[in-house]
Amino acid sequence: MPEETPNSYIQANNQNVTKSTKLVYNTTVKYVCWPGYTVAYGNATRTCNENMEWTGSVPNCVEIVCPTLKAPANCDLTINGTNLNSTALYKCHFGYRIKNILVDKFENNVLRRRCNESAMWNREEPICECESRESS
């Protein structure tokens, strides 16, 4: 049986591998990280070779963490974490509007971003600019 690694489970032929699973020459196994984790290094797939040894190295599943965010000028930022699916809520100060990103008019000049599987925040950071006063 291939070595186990924290925060994951092992599959062969789309079935979970247990201590009683028979794994023979040329069997390929796949390490599946728990939700919210990703393979940082090592091999997510390994094959039993002719010497009855596993190819590659044991993968390491690490938590998906997005970079820390800072509030841009003239904006309030509320974050509920930096791990997978965490959200960041940007709201421009009174008299300012988000200028660089199209925001739905029903969102009251609020932008929501989410930490995704690539450990990146979706959408770009907003720029809050002073609302122009149109003269009549």
Side-chain angles (χ1 to χ4, degrees):
M1 179 155 165
E3 303 94 325
E4 294 180 6
T5 187
N7 307 313
S8 72
Y9 57 96
I10 303 170
Q11 289 188 329
N13 300 317
N14 294 322
Q15 300 290 321
N16 290 352
V17 172
T18 65
K19 294 193 185 308
S20 62
T21 303
K22 186 176 180 180
L23 300 172
V24 296
Y25 166 69
N26 219 21
T27 298
T28 297
V29 296
K30 177 180 177 184
Y31 288 80
V32 181
C33 296
W34 294 118
Y37 290 79
T38 189
V39 173
Y41 56 85
N43 302 97
T45 57
R46 300 174 75 197
T47 302
C48 182
N49 66 23
E50 61 275 358
N51 297 325
M52 300 308 286
E53 295 173 347
W54 294 98
T55 60
S57 60
V58 178
N60 186 18
C61 292
V62 297
E63 187 173 18
I64 295 171
V65 178
C66 283
T68 302
L69 299 171
K70 293 183 181 171
N74 306 308
C75 185
D76 291 322
L77 172 61
T78 305
I79 306 171
N80 70 355
T82 56
N83 56 343
L84 181 64
N85 293 322
S86 293
T87 56
L89 201 63
Y90 295 81
K91 182 167 179 48
C92 291
H93 294 163
F94 180 77
Y96 290 82
R97 296 190 63 79
I98 295 174
K99 296 292 184 183
N100 62 323
I101 303 169
L102 183 61
V103 178
D104 189 305
K105 66 181 180 179
F106 299 108
E107 292 180 342
N108 288 328
N109 214 29
V110 171
L111 175 73
R112 182 181 311 270
R113 296 173 77 192
R114 185 181 66 81
C115 177
N116 64 33
E117 297 81 11
S118 301
M120 299 298 294
W121 294 98
N122 72 336
R123 304 179 87 175
E124 64 181 289
E125 183 176 273
I127 296 172
C128 294
E129 292 182 350
C130 189
E131 291 183 289
S132 61
R133 306 269 184 227
E134 295 182 19
S135 54
S136 8

